Amino acid sequence: MGTKQKLFSAWLTAWAVLWALTACGTLEPEPQPEPELSDKASLQHFAFIMSDNPGLSTSSTAVLVNDYYCITVPEGTDLSRLVPSITVSEGAKVFLDSQPFEKGQVCDFSGNVQYLRVVSESGNRTNNYRILVKLGDPYIDNQVYQFMSDFSIPGVSISIMQGTEMKYSCGYGFADKGAQVRVTPDHLFRMASISKQFCTLCIMRLKEQGRLELDQQVFGEKGILKGIYQNITSYHEAITIRHLLSHSSGICKGLSDPAFTWSYRMYSNGTPVPTDTLIQRTINDRQYAYPGWSPGEAYNYSNVGFCILHRIVEVISGKDYESFLKEDVLEPMGITDTHIGGYQNERRPNECIYYSQNGSDGYSNALRQLAGAAGIITSTNQMMRLLTYIDGDDSVPDAFSHETLDEMYTPYQYSGSDYKNYRRYGLGWRMNHSIYFPGAHYHGGNIAGTATLWVGNTDEHMNAAFVCNSRAYNTNSSGDIDDNMYILLNRFMQYFQE
């Protein structure tokens, strides 16, 4: 077949196919599958942007803290009329407090907790979020939020004051996670070892009343606690009140901390022993001075020492410790909501719940038996009020004489060569930190479920407190929880001082 014939044959074939298709109808495209709808339902970003909210002086972005979001807007902002900027998974729908949310919508964030629900484009998945909005200073608050996230702290209260002027006072997170009660600066927190400063004030009050002297013997025939304890040796007879206040008695040197050791503080059936039994067991195991040690020579931190001091308060005053603390020390200053704490079933209406970490039990310590060492519950606002009465500044008349305050805040003169130049502890108070709080007296505390720090009267007359309702055992780039509290509180006081 020639070339022309081949071309003509191919043309006829193609024409025949086209005619056949046309005769059968119009060509239809291949059917395409429907696009799959997304199952993603996550909150990616939550903020209040200045351009959406003309009343804002700065934009604010929410910070994830544990399992909820926290966001601070500047003081003076109307929380009932805010326009949030919300970014979620593509195609997902947003509901705010059960109502559909549209971009640019004005919302009310003045409530306790706002609930945000994200429903996936497919409708198959829903995620729920809690938003905690507060007024405050974002510079301070965002650092507190990061601290809470790093150490899994449910609730924090801070108060910062210069002289008699409150510079900043607020709560963060939850005092009670289950009931979603948010922390305020009037919530009661356990103070742990900050309780020792309250016990010191009781001793100083008895001293000013002329009912004891700091260099009096504690044990033995001439001791304040004569006849209460057995197996008293010459070593015990050498211990004075001043030795107990300055942690130089040596009563716990070489022993595991009796106040927090099962064999000292518990009966075999698991119930806590009375304070006197705890003290007696400690005396029995410390019959002689630690080798190379005598009272007054060196510093050795002792919780039992302050249990002994709270018993001295009771014996001298004739009152139980809490009554004397309240009636003779705190109430004359107008401080009426400070107490000795108890177990969870004894929790006061405005007291936090304490949350344990690493298998610890936040309610394992018998605070009434440890009242002088670790029993106080109070608020950061009350702590600030107390500090104005013991700062040596008569803008608010001090509750103690200048001589008493000077004695309390003067570093103890340890007689032993190893501690002769130790200038970090006075009577019940720490001082002369090498880095933080210049000129101040301060103290921290921690037990399971609690971490605390307060600072009184820096060189710039700053006072501050930082307390938590949980105790962490991990670290971040700045160290452990105590390191972070020192760093942050020092930074915050510098920020507010004038």
Side-chain angles (χ1 to χ4, degrees), residues 156-185:
V156 165
S157 177
I158 65 171
S159 292
I160 301 167
M161 183 172 63
Q162 186 170 34
T164 58
E165 180 186 355
M166 189 70 79
K167 294 289 188 176
Y168 203 61
S169 184
C170 59
Y172 305 84
F174 293 113
D176 179 343
K177 292 194 298 183
Q180 298 196 119
V181 177
R182 292 176 63 170
V183 173
T184 75

Short mmCIF file of all heavy atoms in Angstrom, two decimals, residues 156-185:
data_model
loop_
_atom_site.label_atom_id
_atom_site.label_comp_id
_atom_site.label_asym_id
_atom_site.label_seq_id
_atom_site.Cartn_x
_atom_site.Cartn_y
_atom_site.Cartn_z
N VAL A 156 0.24 30.34 92.25
CA VAL A 156 1.30 31.22 92.79
C VAL A 156 0.65 32.51 93.27
O VAL A 156 -0.31 33.00 92.67
CB VAL A 156 2.35 31.54 91.71
CG1 VAL A 156 3.23 32.72 92.11
CG2 VAL A 156 3.22 30.32 91.41
N SER A 157 1.18 33.07 94.35
CA SER A 157 0.81 34.41 94.79
C SER A 157 2.08 35.21 95.01
O SER A 157 3.05 34.69 95.58
CB SER A 157 -0.01 34.36 96.09
OG SER A 157 -0.31 35.67 96.55
N ILE A 158 2.09 36.46 94.53
CA ILE A 158 3.22 37.34 94.80
C ILE A 158 2.70 38.69 95.28
O ILE A 158 1.62 39.13 94.88
CB ILE A 158 4.15 37.54 93.58
CG1 ILE A 158 3.43 38.27 92.44
CG2 ILE A 158 4.71 36.22 93.09
CD1 ILE A 158 4.37 38.68 91.31
N SER A 159 3.46 39.32 96.15
CA SER A 159 3.20 40.70 96.57
C SER A 159 4.54 41.41 96.67
O SER A 159 5.52 40.83 97.15
CB SER A 159 2.47 40.75 97.92
OG SER A 159 1.16 40.24 97.81
N ILE A 160 4.56 42.66 96.20
CA ILE A 160 5.79 43.45 96.18
C ILE A 160 5.45 44.85 96.67
O ILE A 160 4.49 45.47 96.19
CB ILE A 160 6.40 43.51 94.77
CG1 ILE A 160 6.72 42.11 94.27
CG2 ILE A 160 7.66 44.37 94.76
CD1 ILE A 160 7.03 42.02 92.79
N MET A 161 6.24 45.34 97.62
CA MET A 161 5.94 46.61 98.25
C MET A 161 7.23 47.42 98.41
O MET A 161 8.31 46.85 98.61
CB MET A 161 5.32 46.32 99.63
CG MET A 161 4.87 47.52 100.42
SD MET A 161 3.94 46.99 101.91
CE MET A 161 5.21 46.08 102.79
N GLN A 162 7.13 48.73 98.30
CA GLN A 162 8.26 49.61 98.61
C GLN A 162 7.82 50.53 99.74
O GLN A 162 6.87 51.29 99.60
CB GLN A 162 8.69 50.42 97.40
CG GLN A 162 9.96 51.25 97.67
CD GLN A 162 10.53 51.85 96.40
OE1 GLN A 162 9.80 52.23 95.49
NE2 GLN A 162 11.85 51.95 96.33
N GLY A 163 8.52 50.45 100.87
CA GLY A 163 8.07 51.18 102.05
C GLY A 163 6.70 50.69 102.45
O GLY A 163 6.50 49.52 102.76
N THR A 164 5.72 51.59 102.42
CA THR A 164 4.35 51.21 102.74
C THR A 164 3.46 51.18 101.49
O THR A 164 2.25 50.98 101.60
CB THR A 164 3.74 52.20 103.75
OG1 THR A 164 3.78 53.53 103.18
CG2 THR A 164 4.52 52.18 105.05
N GLU A 165 4.06 51.36 100.31
CA GLU A 165 3.28 51.39 99.06
C GLU A 165 3.31 50.02 98.38
O GLU A 165 4.38 49.52 98.03
CB GLU A 165 3.84 52.45 98.11
CG GLU A 165 3.08 52.53 96.80
CD GLU A 165 3.73 53.47 95.80
OE1 GLU A 165 4.73 54.14 96.16
OE2 GLU A 165 3.24 53.55 94.66
N MET A 166 2.13 49.43 98.20
CA MET A 166 2.04 48.17 97.48
C MET A 166 2.26 48.44 96.00
O MET A 166 1.52 49.18 95.37
CB MET A 166 0.69 47.51 97.70
CG MET A 166 0.61 46.10 97.15
SD MET A 166 1.60 44.90 98.07
CE MET A 166 0.52 44.59 99.48
N LYS A 167 3.30 47.83 95.45
CA LYS A 167 3.62 48.02 94.04
C LYS A 167 2.92 47.01 93.14
O LYS A 167 2.54 47.32 92.02
CB LYS A 167 5.14 47.91 93.83
CG LYS A 167 5.96 49.01 94.51
CD LYS A 167 5.77 50.32 93.78
CE LYS A 167 6.72 51.38 94.29
NZ LYS A 167 6.60 52.64 93.52
N TYR A 168 2.77 45.80 93.63
CA TYR A 168 2.17 44.75 92.80
C TYR A 168 1.73 43.62 93.72
O TYR A 168 2.48 43.22 94.62
CB TYR A 168 3.18 44.23 91.79
CG TYR A 168 2.59 43.59 90.57
CD1 TYR A 168 1.77 44.31 89.72
CD2 TYR A 168 2.86 42.26 90.25
CE1 TYR A 168 1.22 43.73 88.58
CE2 TYR A 168 2.33 41.67 89.11
CZ TYR A 168 1.50 42.42 88.29
OH TYR A 168 0.96 41.84 87.16
N SER A 169 0.54 43.11 93.49
CA SER A 169 0.04 42.02 94.32
C SER A 169 -1.00 41.26 93.53
O SER A 169 -2.02 41.84 93.14
CB SER A 169 -0.57 42.58 95.62
OG SER A 169 -0.99 41.55 96.47
N CYS A 170 -0.76 40.00 93.25
CA CYS A 170 -1.73 39.24 92.45
C CYS A 170 -1.50 37.74 92.58
O CYS A 170 -0.45 37.30 93.03
CB CYS A 170 -1.69 39.66 90.98
SG CYS A 170 -0.10 39.44 90.20
N GLY A 171 -2.53 37.00 92.15
CA GLY A 171 -2.46 35.55 92.14
C GLY A 171 -2.45 35.02 90.73
O GLY A 171 -2.89 35.70 89.78
N TYR A 172 -1.97 33.80 90.58
CA TYR A 172 -1.86 33.16 89.27
C TYR A 172 -2.34 31.71 89.40
O TYR A 172 -2.03 31.02 90.37
CB TYR A 172 -0.41 33.14 88.79
CG TYR A 172 0.26 34.48 88.74
CD1 TYR A 172 0.84 35.02 89.89
CD2 TYR A 172 0.34 35.20 87.55
CE1 TYR A 172 1.47 36.26 89.85
CE2 TYR A 172 0.97 36.43 87.51
CZ TYR A 172 1.53 36.96 88.66
OH TYR A 172 2.15 38.18 88.62
N GLY A 173 -3.04 31.24 88.38
CA GLY A 173 -3.43 29.85 88.36
C GLY A 173 -4.49 29.53 89.38
O GLY A 173 -5.32 30.37 89.75
N PHE A 174 -4.44 28.29 89.88
CA PHE A 174 -5.53 27.76 90.70
C PHE A 174 -5.11 27.48 92.13
O PHE A 174 -4.10 26.80 92.38
CB PHE A 174 -6.07 26.47 90.08
CG PHE A 174 -6.77 26.68 88.76
CD1 PHE A 174 -6.24 26.17 87.59
CD2 PHE A 174 -7.95 27.40 88.69
CE1 PHE A 174 -6.87 26.36 86.37
CE2 PHE A 174 -8.61 27.60 87.48
CZ PHE A 174 -8.06 27.08 86.32
N ALA A 175 -5.92 27.97 93.07
CA ALA A 175 -5.80 27.56 94.47
C ALA A 175 -6.39 26.17 94.66
O ALA A 175 -5.95 25.40 95.51
CB ALA A 175 -6.50 28.57 95.37
N ASP A 176 -7.40 25.87 93.85
CA ASP A 176 -8.08 24.57 93.88
C ASP A 176 -8.35 24.19 92.44
O ASP A 176 -9.25 24.76 91.79
CB ASP A 176 -9.36 24.67 94.70
CG ASP A 176 -10.14 23.36 94.77
OD1 ASP A 176 -9.88 22.46 93.96
OD2 ASP A 176 -11.02 23.25 95.64
N LYS A 177 -7.60 23.24 91.90
CA LYS A 177 -7.76 22.87 90.50
C LYS A 177 -9.11 22.24 90.24
O LYS A 177 -9.73 22.51 89.20
CB LYS A 177 -6.65 21.89 90.08
CG LYS A 177 -5.27 22.49 90.04
CD LYS A 177 -4.28 21.59 89.31
CE LYS A 177 -4.10 20.25 89.98
NZ LYS A 177 -3.10 19.41 89.28
N GLY A 178 -9.58 21.39 91.14
CA GLY A 178 -10.83 20.69 90.93
C GLY A 178 -12.01 21.64 90.84
O GLY A 178 -12.85 21.52 89.94
N ALA A 179 -12.09 22.59 91.75
CA ALA A 179 -13.17 23.56 91.77
C ALA A 179 -12.87 24.77 90.90
O ALA A 179 -13.72 25.67 90.77
CB ALA A 179 -13.45 24.01 93.20
N GLN A 180 -11.70 24.81 90.30
CA GLN A 180 -11.25 25.90 89.44
C GLN A 180 -11.34 27.26 90.15
O GLN A 180 -11.81 28.25 89.59
CB GLN A 180 -11.99 25.91 88.11
CG GLN A 180 -11.75 24.65 87.30
CD GLN A 180 -12.14 24.78 85.85
OE1 GLN A 180 -11.33 24.65 84.96
NE2 GLN A 180 -13.41 25.06 85.61
N VAL A 181 -10.88 27.28 91.40
CA VAL A 181 -10.80 28.53 92.17
C VAL A 181 -9.46 29.17 91.87
O VAL A 181 -8.41 28.58 92.13
CB VAL A 181 -10.94 28.26 93.68
CG1 VAL A 181 -10.77 29.55 94.47
CG2 VAL A 181 -12.27 27.60 93.99
N ARG A 182 -9.50 30.38 91.34
CA ARG A 182 -8.26 31.06 90.98
C ARG A 182 -7.61 31.71 92.20
O ARG A 182 -8.28 32.19 93.12
CB ARG A 182 -8.53 32.10 89.89
CG ARG A 182 -8.91 31.46 88.57
CD ARG A 182 -9.27 32.46 87.50
NE ARG A 182 -8.16 33.33 87.14
CZ ARG A 182 -8.16 34.17 86.12
NH1 ARG A 182 -9.25 34.24 85.33
NH2 ARG A 182 -7.13 34.93 85.85
N VAL A 183 -6.28 31.73 92.20
CA VAL A 183 -5.52 32.28 93.32
C VAL A 183 -5.69 33.80 93.38
O VAL A 183 -5.68 34.49 92.35
CB VAL A 183 -4.03 31.94 93.18
CG1 VAL A 183 -3.21 32.66 94.25
CG2 VAL A 183 -3.81 30.43 93.28
N THR A 184 -5.80 34.31 94.59
CA THR A 184 -5.73 35.75 94.86
C THR A 184 -4.63 35.98 95.89
O THR A 184 -4.20 35.04 96.57
CB THR A 184 -7.05 36.30 95.41
OG1 THR A 184 -7.19 35.88 96.79
CG2 THR A 184 -8.25 35.80 94.62
N PRO A 185 -4.17 37.22 96.05
CA PRO A 185 -3.14 37.50 97.07
C PRO A 185 -3.63 37.39 98.50
O PRO A 185 -2.85 37.55 99.44
CB PRO A 185 -2.69 38.93 96.77
CG PRO A 185 -3.41 39.38 95.57
CD PRO A 185 -4.48 38.40 95.24
#
